[in-house]
């Protein structure tokens, strides 16, 4: 499904990325917004213009970049560039699927869960253009001396839950029949959990100390009773970019506790 008329640089449509296997699951994971496939754009002069340019929607939700069926090179090679604009190559291996790999390694595996046990969801089910991407695109793509570069249109990271999306997520949670709802960072708490009685808006409200980080909490979503597990987002857990507070350290200690 294409997300409205959003388009990546070089013309690929921004698609909705959602859970495909909708059979009942043990756990439900709620993240913030979908990631993308990243390429290295090399100009016709062989100069690297952007080292990690988002050029396509990830092929599956919380993609790890290592799917044997769909590799980054295959996706990137299918994108046709205008003559004179250079070429695309896969970005560094650590730049495709790092959040998905961290989800598997740092959250699901310690909990004894696999992807087949888990229903994955994002508050915003499509890629967005973060400020670093916007700066790079403005610096290189927007001023590239070629008039037939494909115009792009991508939304910035969300500042609130899209209209109607809360009810869509609620439907998915209920359909999953999951007994554990894992929340990644503040946004799923603020935009979803806090809309129900007793729900809090921030991770620090559930985990003011390292001893309380990773605790489960009984919760009700209508008539569906489950436990919620508020955790830091994989970007914090795995140190992907700017991090804040003690979340990475606390999460590492939590893993040690539950693994034993």
């Amino acid at each position: 499904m294409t997300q409205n008329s959003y388009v990546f640089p070089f013309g690929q449509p921004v698609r909705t990325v959602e859970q495909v296997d909708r059979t009942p699951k043990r756990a439900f994971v709620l993240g913030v917004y979908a990631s993308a496939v990243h390429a290295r754009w090399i100009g016709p002069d062989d100069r690297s213009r952007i080292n990690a340019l988002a050029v396509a929607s990830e092929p599956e939700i919380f993609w790890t970049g290592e799917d044997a069926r769909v590799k980054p090179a295959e996706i990137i090679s299918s994108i046709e560039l205008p003559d004179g604009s250079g070429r695309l190559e896969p970005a560094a291996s650590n730049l495709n699927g790092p959040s998905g790999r961290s989800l598997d390694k740092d959250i699901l595996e310690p909990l004894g869960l696999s992807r087949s046990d888990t229903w994955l969801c994002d508050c915003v089910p499509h890629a967005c253009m973060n400020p670093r991407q916007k700066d790079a695109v403005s610096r290189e793509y927007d001023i590239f001396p070629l008039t037939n570069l494909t115009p792009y249109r991508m939304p910035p990271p969300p500042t609130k839950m899209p209209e109607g999306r809360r009810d869509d997520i609620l439907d998915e949670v209920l359909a999953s029949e999951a007994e554990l709802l894992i929340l990644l960072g503040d946004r799923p708490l603020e935009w979803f959990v806090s809309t129900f009685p007793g729900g809090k808006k921030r991770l620090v409200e559930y985990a003011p100390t390292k001893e309380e980080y990773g605790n489960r909490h009984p919760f009700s979503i209508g008539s569906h009773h489950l436990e919620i597990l508020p955790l830091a987002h994989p970007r914090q857990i795995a140190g992907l970019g700017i991090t804040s507070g003690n979340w990475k350290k606390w999460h590492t200690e939590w893993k040690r506790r539950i693994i034993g």
Side-chain angles (χ1 to χ4, degrees):
M1 181 187 302
T2 301
Q3 178 60 37
N4 297 322
S5 57
Y6 292 140
V7 179
F8 287 98
F10 293 117
Q12 295 299 296
V14 176
R15 298 187 181 279
T16 297
V17 184
E18 296 177 311
Q19 176 79 9
V20 174
D21 175 8
R22 298 200 166 213
T23 57
K25 304 296 179 188
R26 292 171 57 194
F28 190 104
V29 172
L30 183 58
V32 186
Y33 64 89
S35 186
V37 179
H38 291 84
R40 181 183 175 213
W41 176 27
I42 301 171
D45 57 358
D46 280 335
R47 179 175 72 85
S48 181
R49 303 189 72 94
I50 300 178
N51 288 326
L53 175 65
V55 293
S57 294
E58 56 185 352
E60 61 184 16
I61 189 167
F62 281 98
W63 182 50
T64 65
E66 300 170 335
D67 188 335
R69 297 165 299 169
V70 188
K71 295 181 181 295
E74 296 173 1
I75 298 170
I76 292 164
S77 66
S78 69
I79 300 172
E80 295 185 9
L81 272 62
D83 291 341
S85 60
R87 66 187 187 277
L88 296 177
E89 296 180 353
S93 59
N94 64 314
L95 299 174
N96 275 311
S99 290
R101 290 193 293 273
S102 178
L103 173 68
D104 288 351
K105 176 184 176 182
D106 299 318
I107 296 176
L108 298 186
E109 288 179 13
L111 289 168
L113 297 168
S114 67
R115 293 254 176 155
S116 62
D117 299 319
T118 311
W119 188 302
L120 306 177
C121 183
D122 280 310
C123 292
V124 179
H126 58 79
C128 300
M129 182 174 281
N130 64 38
R132 292 182 65 185
Q133 277 282 302
K134 180 61 177 174
D135 288 346
V137 171
S138 297
R139 185 180 66 248
E140 298 287 350
Y141 195 92
D142 290 351
I143 66 169
F144 191 76
L146 192 67
T147 58
N148 61 339
L149 281 188
T150 306
Y152 63 90
R153 178 176 177 265
M154 292 190 68
T159 57
K160 62 181 180 179
M161 183 82 89
E163 185 176 353
R165 183 63 184 156
R166 182 247 192 210
D167 291 340
D168 293 341
I169 296 169
L170 174 58
D171 289 344
E172 290 193 43
V173 171
L174 296 178
S176 76
E177 301 180 16
E179 297 179 353
L180 178 65
L181 174 57
I182 302 169
L183 295 314
L184 304 182
D186 285 342
R187 291 293 180 257
L189 293 170
E190 178 186 355
W191 296 345
F192 186 71
V193 168
S194 73
T195 66
F196 298 94
K200 301 173 184 178
K201 292 185 175 182
R202 300 179 63 207
L203 178 57
V204 71
E205 295 180 73
Y206 287 101
T209 67
K210 66 179 180 180
E211 290 78 17
E212 293 169 282
Y213 178 86
N215 287 346
R216 302 185 185 202
H217 306 267
F219 199 73
S220 295
I221 296 178
S223 60
H224 184 58
H225 305 294
L226 42 66
E227 290 182 311
I228 61 171
L229 175 57
L231 295 173
H233 191 276
R235 291 195 63 82
Q236 298 281 341
I237 292 168
L240 305 172
I242 298 173
T243 59
S244 61
N246 293 308
W247 299 128
K248 187 175 187 297
K249 178 181 177 182
W250 289 6
H251 192 87
T252 299
E253 295 181 5
W254 169 78
K255 282 174 62 179
R256 292 196 189 105
R257 288 201 309 268
I258 67 170
I259 292 174

